[in-house]
Amino acid sequence: EDQVTQSPEALRLQEGESSSLNCSYTVSGLRGLFWYRQDPGKGPEFLFTLYSAGEEKEKERLKATLTKKESFLHITAPKPEDSATYLCAVQPSTSGTYKYIFGTGTRLKVLA
Amino acid sequence: DVKVTQSSRYLVKRTGEKVFLECVQDMDHENMFWYRQDPGLGLRLIYFSYDVKMKEKGDIPEGYSVSREKKERFSLILESASTNQTSMYLCASRYIRDYEQYFGPGTRLTVT
């Protein structure tokens, strides 16, 4: 069964304390892996798409990496405004192109 | 910037009422989606639309229907609202050849 698991469920960091969020996936073929940021009471905001193992993408303090089994979202020197829930989603290559499997997210809190 | 808007941010309805949720995107995207988001369950696909008048059932279509009469507009209809349909409803859109989805701000629906 296709599955996405995110860890940890919640993370508290001090401002400037770098860390990583994990997205483990089990799918029979990966078409793409997506990271989103979601602020409370709002819709997810697209961050990155990764397509193949070894791929990396960066945006400001965020860097996403991909292996054959998992993806990491590295946050370097976070600021309080980085506090949000980060969602991971995968699109299996064996399903229709409209199928995405979402994880339940990591709630990040950055303290000043 | 891609803009996806939803007709209401918050909605309170009574059991048995017919409920309409509307979504509009301004980027000429062919594909549109309706999801619901519940704590601990992640995003679950209700319906997907390939293009005008085209629709596909998602993972949890029971109790819902959709309408897409114009390319920019995708409506979700709860024929007879029930308390277990209390949730956050998210609309998304994307280009037919891309995999990144762009989400609206969400509608928090409460059915009493």
Side-chain angles (χ1 to χ4, degrees):
Chain A
E1 182 186 348
D2 296 332
Q3 195 168 291
V4 174
T5 303
Q6 291 189 247
S7 61
E9 285 189 18
L11 183 63
R12 290 167 70 93
L13 299 173
Q14 292 293 324
E15 185 172 3
E17 181 186 1
S18 301
S19 188
S20 297
L21 313 183
N22 178 263
C23 172
S24 297
Y25 62 91
T26 306
V27 293
S28 45
L30 180 71
R31 182 175 283 126
L33 185 143
F34 309 87
W35 282 99
Y36 290 87
R37 170 194 170 124
Q38 186 174 23
D39 292 304
K42 297 188 178 179
E45 175 190 347
F46 172 72
L47 293 173
F48 303 110
T49 306
L50 301 166
Y51 293 105
S52 56
E55 191 174 359
E56 299 182 351
K57 289 198 176 165
E58 285 188 69
K59 180 180 179 180
E60 296 179 356
R61 295 176 293 282
L62 300 177
K63 179 179 177 180
T65 62
L66 181 65
T67 72
K68 289 187 177 179
K69 297 286 186 186
E70 58 192 349
S71 177
F72 292 94
L73 185 65
H74 306 277
I75 304 177
T76 302
K79 298 182 178 182
E81 54 262 41
D82 294 322
S83 297
T85 295
Y86 290 86
L87 300 175
C88 169
V90 300
Q91 193 177 39
S93 59
T94 52
S95 300
T97 62
Y98 60 92
K99 291 278 194 181
Y100 297 81
I101 302 166
F102 283 83
T104 53
T106 293
R107 291 190 314 278
L108 174 65
K109 177 75 173 176
V110 182
L111 304 170
Chain B
D1 276 353
V2 176
K3 189 161 186 184
V4 180
T5 58
Q6 295 183 227
S7 50
S8 306
R9 293 300 306 276
Y10 301 95
L11 210 52
V12 179
K13 294 292 181 181
R14 295 211 181 267
T15 301
E17 279 193 83
K18 191 167 187 176
V19 182
F20 294 86
L21 303 181
E22 285 216 313
C23 174
V24 178
Q25 49 93 6
D26 68 355
M27 285 303 291
D28 203 35
H29 285 171
E30 294 87 358
N31 300 164
M32 295 187 76
F33 303 75
W34 274 108
Y35 290 93
R36 64 178 282 177
Q37 184 177 31
D38 300 289
L41 294 179
L43 274 74
R44 293 179 291 166
L45 180 65
I46 305 172
Y47 267 98
F48 165 66
S49 171
Y50 290 95
D51 209 328
V52 176
K53 298 189 187 294
M54 305 293 286
K55 62 185 179 184
E56 186 87 25
K57 289 181 180 179
D59 299 316
I60 51 165
E62 297 79 18
Y64 303 95
S65 62
V66 291
S67 173
R68 190 148 178 225
E69 297 296 318
K70 293 186 177 182
K71 191 173 187 178
E72 68 271 17
R73 192 178 298 268
F74 192 30
S75 300
L76 179 70
I77 303 145
L78 285 66
E79 297 291 342
S80 177
S82 63
T83 55
N84 63 12
Q85 293 179 309
T86 291
S87 186
M88 171 71 117
Y89 288 87
L90 292 164
C91 173
S93 70
R94 70 171 192 196
Y95 285 116
I96 196 167
R97 296 190 185 283
D98 288 342
Y99 300 127
E100 297 96 37
Q101 298 177 92
Y102 294 89
F103 285 85
T107 295
R108 174 134 343 249
L109 172 68
T110 302
V111 182
T112 62

